[in-house]
Amino acid sequence: MSNSHSPHQIDRSPTNTGTSRPRRAMAIRLTGWPIDRFRRRERQRGSPDDRPTLLIDRQGQRRTVAACCSRAARAGAAPGMPAAEARALFPPGAVRLAPADAPGDRRALRRLAVWALRLSPLVEPQEPDGLLLDVTGCARAFGGERALAERAVDGIGSLGIGARVAVAPTFTAAGALARGSGARLSIIGPSELGPALEPLPLGALGLADADLAPLASLGIERIGQLLDLPRAALPARFGAGVLLALDRALGHAMESILPIEDPEPVRAHRTLEGPTDRVEAVEGIVREQLASIASRLAERESGVRSLRVDLARSDLPPETLTVTVGRPTRDARHLWRLLAPKLERAHLGFGVEAVTTEVTAAVRLAHEQCVHLPSGSADAATDLDADRAASECIDTLANRLGPGRVLRPVMVPSHRPERSVALHDAAESPPPASSASPSTGGVQATPSDRPTVLFDRPEPADVVALTPDGPVHAVRFRGEDHAVIACIGPERIGSEWWRGRGSTRDYFRVQTESGVWLWLARSIEPGGWRVHGVWA
């Protein structure tokens, strides 16, 4: 927030946020969104109706007007009015009542935001009836900001939806102009920001009713009146939200949008001139489609988690082949190796008429350098290749043996050594491994403190020790006596209190005269010694 002005006066000039290029924000206000969407749906069904329209919201036994068209509004109807009262404003049969569809309006608004990605790569749907776009640098591709704004209005109008568009240096100012100016197109520069906002109603700033009520009680209805008030008094008298909205509109406070991502699926489709039962022909089409999909995924810096191939057969229902990988990939050769065995076993019937390959689940991949420069680390490249080869091997086994047949050990946070590892489906993303290791007295144990082979059930042993706390002198294990030449410990591991009462153990690492290292455990409460693992 800028502090360059007096605390007793609001600076009406925009603040340079320090970016290399001044921001240009566009706001699109859908003036009759629920009604326009309803009428568009009715036209698509072939049942248009020119009567005034009221959309009714039902909450239990209470029915109220959720939205009304302009003709109904001129007759006196308004959102929030009881439905019976609104219907009484018209002669019998002269008004059309229909149920409101708020969830459908939200979904359609998101689809419209995806449509608006042709205007800017950064678009956020603003419920209930608006869009915000960051059009910084976009106007050049359309021949100027006015041409860009007209493209937005005309494009939305072609869908049968009324809209007002505003372009300004801040998102809040653009939204205020689109809501409150009444103009079809509004384009202002940084020097026009303050004068353009002054005549607008306070509601154009998007303030909540709780913030507007104290201002309305004092007769403050315009943004210009709010700008004339002492700045220091605004938070104390009307709340911090009023000053924050004003500062965002003038560019004195940070603001951002949460852009929507294009949900367009990554797919490839090919219709054949005639049915074919040749496996080689189908395989060639699938390989071409995989190469095309890999290229599109590279552009999005994404990878496949699951893939589906649909074979439309002339005499049978479609044959569907699915592939799931544990590590996201866009390697077309790896995906083909997983699909090839399934395609060989597929029943093609009297011939395949069309082939569709579609990515059913994809995730973003971290950017990685494809070419390793001579100065780069060869060990890092080798490790990356080894990880990729291991993941491809796991994918091959999982797709051939079936889900849940290939497991991988994953570290989990637990005091007990026998509970510190769990097996998960290798085809699924393993849960993040905990950085916490079993500890004693707050001292973290290192991987070398744990045996390479941990027994599922500790095996009994007889131990000769000078004291219960060690050191250990001899061990009788599996019927053989072993002299101990080195002993490290004890390491005390307590029970997990959230699982109920359990025993506390002291662990010792001992080396026998034959060179074998054993992991001995002495249970304190019941007593007795066990061998819990060995270092192989």
Side-chain angles (χ1 to χ4, degrees):
M1 187 178 298
S2 174
N3 293 321
S4 60
H5 51 274
S6 169
H8 300 292
Q9 181 182 3
I10 294 180
D11 187 357
R12 306 181 186 211
S13 61
T15 296
N16 188 349
T17 59
T19 57
S20 58
R21 178 183 295 174
R23 169 179 285 172
R24 299 299 288 167
M26 174 184 287
I28 301 176
R29 166 77 191 286
L30 309 176
T31 53
W33 173 235
I35 295 293
D36 289 344
R37 195 180 79 85
F38 171 76
R39 287 180 170 172
R40 171 181 166 84
R41 190 167 64 247
E42 292 298 303
R43 287 194 298 269
Q44 291 174 341
R45 294 173 179 173
S47 57
D49 194 330
D50 294 333
R51 291 179 297 171
T53 303
L54 299 175
L55 299 183
I56 306 302
D57 183 23
R58 180 188 293 273
Q59 297 179 355
Q61 298 298 322
R62 188 168 179 266
R63 302 175 67 204
T64 58
V65 177
C68 59
C69 67
S70 57
R71 293 171 58 193
R74 287 194 296 268
M81 178 182 292
E85 182 179 339
R87 185 171 51 187
L89 297 173
F90 303 89
V95 65
R96 182 176 189 181
L97 276 68
D101 182 18
D105 291 339
R106 288 192 292 269
R107 292 192 296 269
L109 185 64
R110 292 186 64 84
R111 291 195 296 270
L112 191 62
V114 173
W115 173 90
L117 288 172
R118 66 192 65 188
L119 305 174
S120 167
L122 302 176
V123 182
E124 179 185 9
Q126 285 278 302
E127 296 181 7
D129 57 2
L131 302 174
L132 288 180
L133 296 78
D134 189 340
V135 294
T136 306
C138 297
R140 186 175 300 176
F142 296 88
E145 288 185 346
R146 179 161 294 276
L148 173 59
E150 290 177 350
R151 176 75 67 89
V153 172
D154 295 342
I156 295 177
S158 67
L159 302 175
I161 300 169
R164 291 199 296 262
V165 175
V167 180
T170 66
F171 292 113
T172 304
L177 287 168
R179 280 191 293 266
S181 69
R184 180 173 174 266
L185 290 179
S186 301
I187 302 176
I188 63 171
S191 61
E192 305 167 297
L193 188 56
L197 291 175
E198 289 179 0
L200 301 181
L202 286 177
L205 289 175
L207 294 171
D209 293 340
D211 293 327
L212 292 174
L215 293 165
S217 65
L218 298 178
I220 302 173
E221 299 178 348
R222 303 287 175 182
I223 297 178
Q225 295 174 288
L226 190 61
L227 290 170
D228 292 334
L229 296 177
R231 175 186 178 84
L234 293 182
R237 298 185 62 182
F238 307 113
V242 174
L243 182 59
L244 179 60
L246 200 59
D247 281 344
R248 284 177 173 171
L250 295 172
H252 299 322
M254 294 294 296
E255 59 177 357
S256 62
I257 61 174
L258 183 62
I260 191 172
E261 294 186 2
D262 187 358
E264 180 183 356
V266 179
R267 64 193 300 267
H269 175 80
R270 180 172 176 181
T271 301
L272 282 67
E273 295 181 357
T276 178
D277 57 357
R278 295 182 55 195
V279 178
E280 297 83 359
V282 177
E283 288 179 348
I285 295 173
V286 173
R287 298 190 73 162
E288 290 178 1
Q289 292 179 342
L290 288 177
S292 173
I293 285 176
S295 176
R296 295 175 61 186
L297 288 171
E299 294 175 356
R300 299 188 181 190
E301 292 196 349
S302 300
V304 173
R305 281 302 312 275
S306 61
L307 186 81
R308 184 182 71 237
V309 176
D310 293 323
L311 306 178
R313 300 176 292 187
S314 59
D315 59 324
L316 295 171
E319 175 81 358
T320 299
L321 312 176
T322 59
V323 166
T324 303
V325 297
R327 177 177 178 172
T329 180
R330 53 174 175 257
D331 187 344
R333 291 179 299 176
H334 176 50
L335 294 172
W336 168 247
R337 285 195 294 266
L338 301 178
L339 273 171
K342 299 185 177 185
L343 192 57
E344 291 176 357
R345 299 192 298 268
H347 181 28
L348 304 184
F350 287 121
V352 174
E353 296 179 321
V355 180
T356 303
T357 303
E358 181 174 352
V359 177
T360 53
V363 297
R364 296 278 293 182
L365 290 179
H367 183 77
E368 64 181 35
Q369 185 168 307
C370 298
V371 178
H372 299 286
L373 301 178
S375 58
S377 173
D379 293 339
T382 302
D383 293 342
L384 183 62
D385 293 340
D387 291 342
R388 184 179 291 111
S391 297
E392 293 178 357
C393 178
I394 291 174
D395 294 339
T396 303
L397 292 173
N399 280 274
R400 291 187 179 182
L401 301 179
R405 300 292 183 88
V406 182
L407 307 176
R408 94 168 80 206
V410 177
M411 297 295 296
V412 296
S414 176
H415 294 294
R416 292 297 196 186
E418 62 270 20
R419 299 193 186 113
S420 61
V421 177
L423 296 177
H424 291 266
D425 190 344
E428 299 177 356
S429 294
S434 172
S435 60
S437 300
S439 60
T440 171
V443 179
Q444 181 171 314
T446 63
S448 61
D449 295 333
R450 298 293 175 257
T452 54
V453 178
L454 188 70
F455 298 155
D456 292 335
R457 292 186 179 182
E459 300 183 17
D462 295 326
V463 171
V464 176
L466 185 61
T467 65
D469 292 333
V472 177
H473 292 287
V475 177
R476 182 175 179 81
F477 174 56
R478 293 178 178 175
E480 297 183 3
D481 293 325
H482 302 276
V484 174
I485 60 175
C487 177
I488 304 174
E491 175 191 352
R492 178 158 295 185
I493 299 179
S495 61
E496 297 169 332
W497 59 267
W498 58 90
R499 293 180 179 270
R501 183 175 176 81
S503 62
T504 301
R505 305 170 188 168
D506 281 343
Y507 280 85
F508 297 83
R509 287 181 290 157
V510 300
Q511 184 184 20
T512 66
E513 57 185 354
S514 61
V516 177
W517 282 88
L518 305 177
W519 205 34
L520 287 174
R522 179 177 68 90
S523 181
I524 294 179
E525 286 83 2
W529 290 82
R530 299 285 190 275
V531 177
H532 207 152
V534 298
W535 278 265

